[in-house]
Amino acid sequence: MRVQVAIVGAGPAGLLLGQLLARAGIETVILEQRSPEYVLSRIRAGLLEQGTVDTLEEAGVAQRLHKEGLVHHGVELCFAGERHRIDYQGLVGKSVTIYGQTEVTHDLMDARKAIGAPSVYEAESVSVHDFDGNSPRVRYRTDGGAHEVTCDFIAGCDGFHGVTRQSVPAGALKTYERVYPFGWLGVLSDTPPVSEELIYTNHERGFALCTMRSMTRSRYYVQCPLTEKVEDWPDERFWDELRSRLDAKASAELISGPSIEKSIAPLRSFVAEPLRFGHLFLAGDAAHIVPPTGAKGLNLAVSDVRYLAHGLIAYYRSGDSSRLDRYSERCLRRIWLAERFSWWMTSLMHRFPDTDAFGRRMQAAELTYLFRSPTAQKSLAENYVGLPLED
Ligand code: FAD
Ligand code: DHB
């Protein structure tokens, strides 16, 4: 098989890239190691920045998002039992949209099916070759045997544990990493959300987040030690723990019910530099990870893909490779700002096992300052709604 761009990974980054390129008449194939059902069963992000919504519109996949997504004009931060609202709309004139990553993925899968572009699910032993030379190739296996795709470019959209970043010679890559000493235990339930807006809580028992997927489906998270297993958390224990971390009103109003999904995610900051090696480009979680506190993981994947798609489209339309040449640098500017915000929100809102009394007082003082300072609140709002994208 020969295509212009071979995409490894059918998460939101790979599917969105495929869709933006297909609309510009560029041929792609997507190779994904899991089944479509497995990809859709992973419950992850839920908060979309305006720039993400704009990019999904550009890809022609925003109809259901506009119908079913919930537009939020602010957020609440809770500390010492009191909630403080940060008014996005009043401070920066923008909002965010709550719409699950699963739904974004679903819409992109449907769009790819409708245009008849090829995807290979359950592709085994995917490997990338000669991306530094002139005949980039991707090999994989299926039940039917071994296959090879030749292409002009390879897009590594295969997430943190994928094969593309790991195929880059070690000396060509610099990585930066911080692993946090806790995880998030998440529960999805068909119960109405406890409040109309998201609530991020700093409590002495640990962080908690109340978010949602719709007015009848809630998503809640509690900080937990990395040693915990999902089996240690029957529903009852989860709801009791969550209730104990919320303010009195939320705690009294919380409606619990059977969980329909429960999982633990570790927290990590990670950046690989650069994002381009000859004909191979990395995008999304393949290149970087943020702790989820800033809600930036999915949004960064989308902004990488937007820059990459525009670079490839300019190249195929007019032979102009300047955007591709600037891809790594432009993405990394945005990535490091998102890393900063996600690290800062994580430091502000969690209980760190090895922090002493001084550290805890500093965290309290930082929150007190934030609640008094319109400038600090504006900075927080600016980051949650998303820093502006370059053209
Ligand atoms: P992924 O969604 O990881 O997609 C990569 C795809 O590549 C996968 O389908 C994978 O199966 C496939 N793949 C991997 N290896 C290979 C291979 N060798 N060959 C072929 N295919 C391969 N972000 C938030 O903003 N808020 C959250 O609450 C949040 N929660 C998260 C919870 C978890 C457990 C994880 C892992 C991430 C979470 N994120 C969250 C981050 C967000 O979901 C990611 O940033 C987003 O999924 C990135 O999209 P992606 O397409 O780059 O990568
Ligand atoms: C969601 C997850 C986040 O990490 C976040 O910061 C906001 C919302 C969510 O799952 O809805």
Side-chain angles (χ1 to χ4, degrees):
M1 183 193 242
R2 155 124 203 124
V3 292
Q4 290 165 303
V5 182
I7 300 172
V8 184
L15 287 166
L16 178 62
L17 180 64
Q19 183 64 13
L20 289 167
L21 295 182
R23 284 169 75 90
I26 298 168
E27 287 176 346
T28 61
V29 63
I30 300 185
L31 306 171
E32 162 63 49
Q33 69 176 3
R34 304 286 192 168
S35 67
E37 297 73 33
Y38 183 93
V39 171
L40 285 172
S41 71
R42 292 185 298 218
I43 307 296
R44 292 178 169 182
L47 183 153
L48 308 185
E49 297 172 358
Q50 187 56 49
T52 297
V53 173
D54 294 345
T55 309
L56 293 169
E57 265 169 25
E58 185 185 329
V61 292
Q63 300 86 334
R64 196 159 69 94
L65 183 162
H66 285 308
K67 214 161 60 201
E68 297 176 16
L70 304 171
V71 176
H72 282 195
H73 301 300
V75 65
E76 291 191 292
L77 301 189
C78 179
F79 178 61
E82 271 184 51
R83 283 196 237 165
H84 304 259
R85 184 167 189 268
I86 312 286
D87 178 8
Y88 298 151
Q89 194 62 42
L91 287 160
V92 292
K94 287 192 191 159
S95 311
V96 299
T97 302
I98 302 300
Y99 189 67
Q101 177 169 331
T102 313
E103 307 310 318
V104 172
T105 308
H106 215 296
D107 296 342
L108 285 163
M109 279 180 175
D110 288 350
R112 190 161 181 89
K113 223 180 268 164
I115 55 171
S119 308
V120 180
Y121 283 91
E122 297 179 89
E124 288 169 21
S125 312
V126 175
S127 59
V128 292
H129 305 272
D130 202 26
F131 47 83
D132 239 358
N134 284 324
S135 54
R137 274 161 295 132
V138 185
R139 295 196 183 123
Y140 64 97
R141 300 186 64 84
T142 59
D143 279 352
H147 308 267
E148 182 173 275
V149 180
T150 57
C151 55
D152 302 327
F153 298 103
I154 302 169
C157 300
D158 48 349
F160 182 64
H161 299 287
V163 68
T164 56
R165 189 187 68 252
Q166 288 169 30
S167 305
V168 174
L173 196 75
K174 179 133 183 63
T175 61
Y176 303 83
E177 185 168 39
R178 174 151 306 176
V179 176
Y180 299 86
F182 41 75
W184 279 17
L185 167 65
V187 158
L188 190 68
S189 67
D190 278 329
T191 52
V194 68
S195 180
E196 291 212 334
E197 292 180 335
L198 271 55
I199 310 173
Y200 289 79
T201 298
N202 174 322
H203 187 271
E204 59 194 34
R205 293 182 64 85
F207 171 77
L209 169 59
C210 305
T211 174
M212 63 196 74
R213 291 293 174 267
S214 69
M215 293 318 285
T216 55
R217 179 169 286 187
S218 300
R219 178 75 168 158
Y220 296 107
Y221 300 95
V222 294
Q223 173 186 351
C224 70
L226 282 171
T227 46
E228 303 273 311
K229 303 266 170 295
V230 168
E231 303 75 65
D232 301 332
W233 287 88
D235 288 357
E236 201 122 310
R237 178 174 176 212
F238 178 85
W239 294 117
D240 286 347
E241 187 59 44
L242 176 64
R243 220 173 254 120
S244 77
R245 297 184 190 189
L246 302 181
D247 60 279
K249 181 169 185 289
S251 173
E253 291 176 358
L254 178 72
I255 298 175
S256 57
S259 64
I260 51 177
E261 194 269 355
K262 199 185 282 163
S263 52
I264 296 180
L267 269 67
R268 181 193 304 271
S269 301
F270 174 88
V271 182
E273 293 186 343
L275 271 55
R276 178 187 185 173
F277 309 88
H279 297 256
L280 169 67
F281 294 87
L282 302 178
D285 278 16
H288 43 75
I289 296 288
V290 285
T293 331
K296 289 285 161 264
L298 175 59
N299 291 299
L300 267 189
V302 169
S303 58
D304 289 355
V305 163
R306 175 184 166 121
Y307 289 146
L308 182 55
H310 291 176
L312 290 166
I313 292 167
Y315 174 81
Y316 283 113
R317 287 223 170 116
S318 60
D320 172 11
S321 58
S322 61
R323 281 170 178 264
L324 288 180
D325 294 340
R326 280 184 290 140
Y327 171 72
S328 189
E329 177 204 327
R330 292 172 99 196
C331 288
L332 282 164
R333 250 200 309 275
R334 196 177 168 77
I335 290 163
W336 279 112
L337 290 172
E339 291 285 346
R340 182 204 73 87
F341 179 63
S342 306
W343 160 82
W344 178 76
M345 272 301 290
T346 302
S347 315
L348 186 68
M349 298 306 290
H350 291 76
R351 182 51 48 124
F352 284 71
D354 50 1
T355 296
D356 60 8
F358 181 80
R360 285 197 289 278
R361 281 282 200 266
M362 279 299 108
Q363 198 185 51
E366 181 94 2
L367 281 159
T368 307
Y369 174 72
L370 173 64
F371 299 143
R372 292 166 54 127
S373 163
T375 312
Q377 287 175 32
K378 189 170 172 196
S379 159
L380 186 135
E382 227 165 40
N383 279 281
Y384 263 115
V385 304
L387 298 174
L389 284 153
E390 295 172 38
D391 176 32

PDB file of all heavy atoms in Angstrom, residues 97-124:
ATOM      1  N   THR A  97     -16.074  24.007  26.780  1.00  0.00           N
ATOM      2  CA  THR A  97     -17.194  23.097  26.488  1.00  0.00           C
ATOM      3  C   THR A  97     -16.907  21.751  27.132  1.00  0.00           C
ATOM      4  O   THR A  97     -15.807  21.210  26.987  1.00  0.00           O
ATOM      5  CB  THR A  97     -17.358  22.922  24.959  1.00  0.00           C
ATOM      6  OG1 THR A  97     -17.562  24.213  24.386  1.00  0.00           O
ATOM      7  CG2 THR A  97     -18.543  22.031  24.626  1.00  0.00           C
ATOM      8  N   ILE A  98     -17.892  21.230  27.840  1.00  0.00           N
ATOM      9  CA  ILE A  98     -17.757  19.903  28.448  1.00  0.00           C
ATOM     10  C   ILE A  98     -18.368  18.888  27.481  1.00  0.00           C
ATOM     11  O   ILE A  98     -19.571  18.929  27.178  1.00  0.00           O
ATOM     12  CB  ILE A  98     -18.474  19.858  29.829  1.00  0.00           C
ATOM     13  CG1 ILE A  98     -17.914  20.923  30.775  1.00  0.00           C
ATOM     14  CG2 ILE A  98     -18.371  18.459  30.435  1.00  0.00           C
ATOM     15  CD1 ILE A  98     -16.432  20.812  31.089  1.00  0.00           C
ATOM     16  N   TYR A  99     -17.511  18.015  26.967  1.00  0.00           N
ATOM     17  CA  TYR A  99     -17.921  17.000  25.980  1.00  0.00           C
ATOM     18  C   TYR A  99     -16.853  15.920  26.025  1.00  0.00           C
ATOM     19  O   TYR A  99     -15.673  16.213  25.853  1.00  0.00           O
ATOM     20  CB  TYR A  99     -17.997  17.652  24.596  1.00  0.00           C
ATOM     21  CG  TYR A  99     -18.598  16.799  23.495  1.00  0.00           C
ATOM     22  CD1 TYR A  99     -19.943  16.449  23.512  1.00  0.00           C
ATOM     23  CD2 TYR A  99     -17.821  16.365  22.420  1.00  0.00           C
ATOM     24  CE1 TYR A  99     -20.501  15.687  22.489  1.00  0.00           C
ATOM     25  CE2 TYR A  99     -18.372  15.602  21.392  1.00  0.00           C
ATOM     26  CZ  TYR A  99     -19.715  15.274  21.432  1.00  0.00           C
ATOM     27  OH  TYR A  99     -20.256  14.517  20.412  1.00  0.00           O
ATOM     28  N   GLY A 100     -17.238  14.688  26.301  1.00  0.00           N
ATOM     29  CA  GLY A 100     -16.250  13.645  26.597  1.00  0.00           C
ATOM     30  C   GLY A 100     -15.343  13.293  25.422  1.00  0.00           C
ATOM     31  O   GLY A 100     -15.761  13.323  24.258  1.00  0.00           O
ATOM     32  N   GLN A 101     -14.121  12.933  25.758  1.00  0.00           N
ATOM     33  CA  GLN A 101     -13.157  12.473  24.749  1.00  0.00           C
ATOM     34  C   GLN A 101     -13.727  11.278  23.964  1.00  0.00           C
ATOM     35  O   GLN A 101     -13.491  11.137  22.769  1.00  0.00           O
ATOM     36  CB  GLN A 101     -11.851  12.072  25.442  1.00  0.00           C
ATOM     37  CG  GLN A 101     -10.814  11.509  24.502  1.00  0.00           C
ATOM     38  CD  GLN A 101      -9.450  11.367  25.155  1.00  0.00           C
ATOM     39  OE1 GLN A 101      -9.114  12.116  26.068  1.00  0.00           O
ATOM     40  NE2 GLN A 101      -8.653  10.434  24.695  1.00  0.00           N
ATOM     41  N   THR A 102     -14.476  10.409  24.669  1.00  0.00           N
ATOM     42  CA  THR A 102     -15.094   9.259  24.011  1.00  0.00           C
ATOM     43  C   THR A 102     -16.018   9.717  22.887  1.00  0.00           C
ATOM     44  O   THR A 102     -16.062   9.106  21.815  1.00  0.00           O
ATOM     45  CB  THR A 102     -15.943   8.466  25.040  1.00  0.00           C
ATOM     46  OG1 THR A 102     -15.149   8.297  26.205  1.00  0.00           O
ATOM     47  CG2 THR A 102     -16.386   7.139  24.517  1.00  0.00           C
ATOM     48  N   GLU A 103     -16.755  10.791  23.149  1.00  0.00           N
ATOM     49  CA  GLU A 103     -17.695  11.291  22.129  1.00  0.00           C
ATOM     50  C   GLU A 103     -16.939  11.912  20.965  1.00  0.00           C
ATOM     51  O   GLU A 103     -17.306  11.739  19.804  1.00  0.00           O
ATOM     52  CB  GLU A 103     -18.674  12.313  22.742  1.00  0.00           C
ATOM     53  CG  GLU A 103     -19.417  11.819  23.981  1.00  0.00           C
ATOM     54  CD  GLU A 103     -20.055  10.447  23.777  1.00  0.00           C
ATOM     55  OE1 GLU A 103     -20.626  10.202  22.697  1.00  0.00           O
ATOM     56  OE2 GLU A 103     -19.955   9.596  24.691  1.00  0.00           O
ATOM     57  N   VAL A 104     -15.851  12.657  21.271  1.00  0.00           N
ATOM     58  CA  VAL A 104     -15.022  13.241  20.207  1.00  0.00           C
ATOM     59  C   VAL A 104     -14.500  12.105  19.319  1.00  0.00           C
ATOM     60  O   VAL A 104     -14.558  12.157  18.085  1.00  0.00           O
ATOM     61  CB  VAL A 104     -13.827  14.030  20.809  1.00  0.00           C
ATOM     62  CG1 VAL A 104     -12.853  14.469  19.717  1.00  0.00           C
ATOM     63  CG2 VAL A 104     -14.317  15.233  21.620  1.00  0.00           C
ATOM     64  N   THR A 105     -13.996  11.046  19.958  1.00  0.00           N
ATOM     65  CA  THR A 105     -13.442   9.902  19.228  1.00  0.00           C
ATOM     66  C   THR A 105     -14.525   9.241  18.371  1.00  0.00           C
ATOM     67  O   THR A 105     -14.303   8.904  17.208  1.00  0.00           O
ATOM     68  CB  THR A 105     -12.832   8.889  20.226  1.00  0.00           C
ATOM     69  OG1 THR A 105     -11.940   9.600  21.081  1.00  0.00           O
ATOM     70  CG2 THR A 105     -12.069   7.789  19.531  1.00  0.00           C
ATOM     71  N   HIS A 106     -15.703   9.072  18.943  1.00  0.00           N
ATOM     72  CA  HIS A 106     -16.845   8.484  18.240  1.00  0.00           C
ATOM     73  C   HIS A 106     -17.168   9.298  16.992  1.00  0.00           C
ATOM     74  O   HIS A 106     -17.316   8.754  15.884  1.00  0.00           O
ATOM     75  CB  HIS A 106     -18.049   8.481  19.188  1.00  0.00           C
ATOM     76  CG  HIS A 106     -18.927   7.303  19.006  1.00  0.00           C
ATOM     77  ND1 HIS A 106     -19.613   7.076  17.829  1.00  0.00           N
ATOM     78  CD2 HIS A 106     -19.228   6.276  19.837  1.00  0.00           C
ATOM     79  CE1 HIS A 106     -20.294   5.967  17.957  1.00  0.00           C
ATOM     80  NE2 HIS A 106     -20.071   5.451  19.147  1.00  0.00           N
ATOM     81  N   ASP A 107     -17.266  10.608  17.142  1.00  0.00           N
ATOM     82  CA  ASP A 107     -17.615  11.484  16.007  1.00  0.00           C
ATOM     83  C   ASP A 107     -16.546  11.378  14.916  1.00  0.00           C
ATOM     84  O   ASP A 107     -16.859  11.362  13.724  1.00  0.00           O
ATOM     85  CB  ASP A 107     -17.740  12.945  16.477  1.00  0.00           C
ATOM     86  CG  ASP A 107     -18.895  13.128  17.469  1.00  0.00           C
ATOM     87  OD1 ASP A 107     -19.779  12.239  17.515  1.00  0.00           O
ATOM     88  OD2 ASP A 107     -18.912  14.135  18.204  1.00  0.00           O
ATOM     89  N   LEU A 108     -15.266  11.325  15.325  1.00  0.00           N
ATOM     90  CA  LEU A 108     -14.180  11.231  14.344  1.00  0.00           C
ATOM     91  C   LEU A 108     -14.187   9.874  13.635  1.00  0.00           C
ATOM     92  O   LEU A 108     -13.947   9.782  12.437  1.00  0.00           O
ATOM     93  CB  LEU A 108     -12.831  11.466  15.033  1.00  0.00           C
ATOM     94  CG  LEU A 108     -12.525  12.922  15.396  1.00  0.00           C
ATOM     95  CD1 LEU A 108     -11.399  13.012  16.424  1.00  0.00           C
ATOM     96  CD2 LEU A 108     -12.148  13.725  14.144  1.00  0.00           C
ATOM     97  N   MET A 109     -14.486   8.804  14.383  1.00  0.00           N
ATOM     98  CA  MET A 109     -14.565   7.459  13.768  1.00  0.00           C
ATOM     99  C   MET A 109     -15.678   7.427  12.725  1.00  0.00           C
ATOM    100  O   MET A 109     -15.502   6.899  11.630  1.00  0.00           O
ATOM    101  CB  MET A 109     -14.867   6.401  14.840  1.00  0.00           C
ATOM    102  CG  MET A 109     -13.673   5.940  15.624  1.00  0.00           C
ATOM    103  SD  MET A 109     -14.297   4.713  16.805  1.00  0.00           S
ATOM    104  CE  MET A 109     -12.775   4.164  17.524  1.00  0.00           C
ATOM    105  N   ASP A 110     -16.847   7.999  13.090  1.00  0.00           N
ATOM    106  CA  ASP A 110     -17.987   8.016  12.155  1.00  0.00           C
ATOM    107  C   ASP A 110     -17.625   8.788  10.890  1.00  0.00           C
ATOM    108  O   ASP A 110     -17.949   8.364   9.783  1.00  0.00           O
ATOM    109  CB  ASP A 110     -19.217   8.672  12.813  1.00  0.00           C
ATOM    110  CG  ASP A 110     -19.831   7.769  13.876  1.00  0.00           C
ATOM    111  OD1 ASP A 110     -19.420   6.596  13.962  1.00  0.00           O
ATOM    112  OD2 ASP A 110     -20.704   8.250  14.633  1.00  0.00           O
ATOM    113  N   ALA A 111     -16.935   9.935  11.070  1.00  0.00           N
ATOM    114  CA  ALA A 111     -16.576  10.769   9.920  1.00  0.00           C
ATOM    115  C   ALA A 111     -15.609  10.020   9.012  1.00  0.00           C
ATOM    116  O   ALA A 111     -15.720  10.069   7.782  1.00  0.00           O
ATOM    117  CB  ALA A 111     -15.955  12.081  10.400  1.00  0.00           C
ATOM    118  N   ARG A 112     -14.662   9.290   9.590  1.00  0.00           N
ATOM    119  CA  ARG A 112     -13.688   8.552   8.776  1.00  0.00           C
ATOM    120  C   ARG A 112     -14.386   7.431   7.996  1.00  0.00           C
ATOM    121  O   ARG A 112     -14.081   7.191   6.842  1.00  0.00           O
ATOM    122  CB  ARG A 112     -12.575   7.994   9.672  1.00  0.00           C
ATOM    123  CG  ARG A 112     -11.419   7.432   8.859  1.00  0.00           C
ATOM    124  CD  ARG A 112     -10.134   7.293   9.622  1.00  0.00           C
ATOM    125  NE  ARG A 112      -9.084   6.770   8.758  1.00  0.00           N
ATOM    126  CZ  ARG A 112      -8.269   7.506   8.018  1.00  0.00           C
ATOM    127  NH1 ARG A 112      -8.370   8.819   8.036  1.00  0.00           N
ATOM    128  NH2 ARG A 112      -7.348   6.953   7.260  1.00  0.00           N
ATOM    129  N   LYS A 113     -15.321   6.777   8.673  1.00  0.00           N
ATOM    130  CA  LYS A 113     -16.077   5.723   7.990  1.00  0.00           C
ATOM    131  C   LYS A 113     -16.854   6.317   6.811  1.00  0.00           C
ATOM    132  O   LYS A 113     -16.863   5.778   5.719  1.00  0.00           O
ATOM    133  CB  LYS A 113     -17.045   5.070   8.994  1.00  0.00           C
ATOM    134  CG  LYS A 113     -17.071   3.563   8.863  1.00  0.00           C
ATOM    135  CD  LYS A 113     -18.017   2.912   9.840  1.00  0.00           C
ATOM    136  CE  LYS A 113     -17.338   2.506  11.144  1.00  0.00           C
ATOM    137  NZ  LYS A 113     -18.299   2.224  12.227  1.00  0.00           N
ATOM    138  N   ALA A 114     -17.473   7.494   7.053  1.00  0.00           N
ATOM    139  CA  ALA A 114     -18.311   8.117   6.019  1.00  0.00           C
ATOM    140  C   ALA A 114     -17.496   8.498   4.779  1.00  0.00           C
ATOM    141  O   ALA A 114     -18.000   8.419   3.662  1.00  0.00           O
ATOM    142  CB  ALA A 114     -19.026   9.344   6.596  1.00  0.00           C
ATOM    143  N   ILE A 115     -16.238   8.914   4.954  1.00  0.00           N
ATOM    144  CA  ILE A 115     -15.442   9.281   3.767  1.00  0.00           C
ATOM    145  C   ILE A 115     -14.721   8.062   3.170  1.00  0.00           C
ATOM    146  O   ILE A 115     -14.092   8.168   2.131  1.00  0.00           O
ATOM    147  CB  ILE A 115     -14.403  10.388   4.068  1.00  0.00           C
ATOM    148  CG1 ILE A 115     -13.494   9.988   5.225  1.00  0.00           C
ATOM    149  CG2 ILE A 115     -15.066  11.729   4.319  1.00  0.00           C
ATOM    150  CD1 ILE A 115     -12.337  10.937   5.426  1.00  0.00           C
ATOM    151  N   GLY A 116     -14.797   6.931   3.848  1.00  0.00           N
ATOM    152  CA  GLY A 116     -14.221   5.692   3.301  1.00  0.00           C
ATOM    153  C   GLY A 116     -12.698   5.643   3.354  1.00  0.00           C
ATOM    154  O   GLY A 116     -12.082   4.904   2.591  1.00  0.00           O
ATOM    155  N   ALA A 117     -12.100   6.423   4.259  1.00  0.00           N
ATOM    156  CA  ALA A 117     -10.630   6.394   4.373  1.00  0.00           C
ATOM    157  C   ALA A 117     -10.225   5.143   5.164  1.00  0.00           C
ATOM    158  O   ALA A 117     -10.922   4.737   6.092  1.00  0.00           O
ATOM    159  CB  ALA A 117     -10.132   7.653   5.057  1.00  0.00           C
ATOM    160  N   PRO A 118      -9.094   4.523   4.805  1.00  0.00           N
ATOM    161  CA  PRO A 118      -8.743   3.252   5.447  1.00  0.00           C
ATOM    162  C   PRO A 118      -8.175   3.373   6.871  1.00  0.00           C
ATOM    163  O   PRO A 118      -7.356   4.253   7.143  1.00  0.00           O
ATOM    164  CB  PRO A 118      -7.664   2.676   4.504  1.00  0.00           C
ATOM    165  CG  PRO A 118      -7.080   3.857   3.806  1.00  0.00           C
ATOM    166  CD  PRO A 118      -8.140   4.908   3.741  1.00  0.00           C
ATOM    167  N   SER A 119      -8.657   2.507   7.740  1.00  0.00           N
ATOM    168  CA  SER A 119      -8.090   2.348   9.095  1.00  0.00           C
ATOM    169  C   SER A 119      -7.883   0.859   9.299  1.00  0.00           C
ATOM    170  O   SER A 119      -8.733   0.062   8.908  1.00  0.00           O
ATOM    171  CB  SER A 119      -9.058   2.832  10.178  1.00  0.00           C
ATOM    172  OG  SER A 119      -9.508   4.130   9.910  1.00  0.00           O
ATOM    173  N   VAL A 120      -6.780   0.497   9.913  1.00  0.00           N
ATOM    174  CA  VAL A 120      -6.560  -0.909  10.250  1.00  0.00           C
ATOM    175  C   VAL A 120      -6.524  -1.006  11.770  1.00  0.00           C
ATOM    176  O   VAL A 120      -5.604  -0.498  12.419  1.00  0.00           O
ATOM    177  CB  VAL A 120      -5.214  -1.424   9.667  1.00  0.00           C
ATOM    178  CG1 VAL A 120      -4.999  -2.894  10.036  1.00  0.00           C
ATOM    179  CG2 VAL A 120      -5.167  -1.207   8.163  1.00  0.00           C
ATOM    180  N   TYR A 121      -7.560  -1.603  12.352  1.00  0.00           N
ATOM    181  CA  TYR A 121      -7.584  -1.831  13.800  1.00  0.00           C
ATOM    182  C   TYR A 121      -6.957  -3.194  14.085  1.00  0.00           C
ATOM    183  O   TYR A 121      -6.853  -4.041  13.202  1.00  0.00           O
ATOM    184  CB  TYR A 121      -9.021  -1.754  14.326  1.00  0.00           C
ATOM    185  CG  TYR A 121      -9.492  -0.301  14.434  1.00  0.00           C
ATOM    186  CD1 TYR A 121     -10.137   0.333  13.378  1.00  0.00           C
ATOM    187  CD2 TYR A 121      -9.240   0.433  15.589  1.00  0.00           C
ATOM    188  CE1 TYR A 121     -10.526   1.662  13.466  1.00  0.00           C
ATOM    189  CE2 TYR A 121      -9.634   1.766  15.692  1.00  0.00           C
ATOM    190  CZ  TYR A 121     -10.276   2.377  14.632  1.00  0.00           C
ATOM    191  OH  TYR A 121     -10.657   3.691  14.737  1.00  0.00           O
ATOM    192  N   GLU A 122      -6.525  -3.364  15.307  1.00  0.00           N
ATOM    193  CA  GLU A 122      -5.859  -4.599  15.742  1.00  0.00           C
ATOM    194  C   GLU A 122      -4.647  -4.925  14.856  1.00  0.00           C
ATOM    195  O   GLU A 122      -4.387  -6.092  14.534  1.00  0.00           O
ATOM    196  CB  GLU A 122      -6.866  -5.749  15.815  1.00  0.00           C
ATOM    197  CG  GLU A 122      -7.937  -5.427  16.868  1.00  0.00           C
ATOM    198  CD  GLU A 122      -8.999  -6.494  17.009  1.00  0.00           C
ATOM    199  OE1 GLU A 122      -8.778  -7.404  17.817  1.00  0.00           O
ATOM    200  OE2 GLU A 122     -10.027  -6.402  16.340  1.00  0.00           O
ATOM    201  N   ALA A 123      -3.937  -3.872  14.453  1.00  0.00           N
ATOM    202  CA  ALA A 123      -2.681  -4.047  13.704  1.00  0.00           C
ATOM    203  C   ALA A 123      -1.603  -4.406  14.728  1.00  0.00           C
ATOM    204  O   ALA A 123      -1.436  -3.694  15.725  1.00  0.00           O
ATOM    205  CB  ALA A 123      -2.318  -2.757  12.986  1.00  0.00           C
ATOM    206  N   GLU A 124      -0.907  -5.505  14.496  1.00  0.00           N
ATOM    207  CA  GLU A 124       0.093  -5.972  15.471  1.00  0.00           C
ATOM    208  C   GLU A 124       1.504  -5.612  15.031  1.00  0.00           C
ATOM    209  O   GLU A 124       1.768  -5.461  13.836  1.00  0.00           O
ATOM    210  CB  GLU A 124      -0.021  -7.495  15.625  1.00  0.00           C
ATOM    211  CG  GLU A 124      -1.279  -7.893  16.383  1.00  0.00           C
ATOM    212  CD  GLU A 124      -1.529  -9.392  16.299  1.00  0.00           C
ATOM    213  OE1 GLU A 124      -0.571 -10.146  16.025  1.00  0.00           O
ATOM    214  OE2 GLU A 124      -2.690  -9.777  16.509  1.00  0.00           O
TER     215      GLU A 124
END
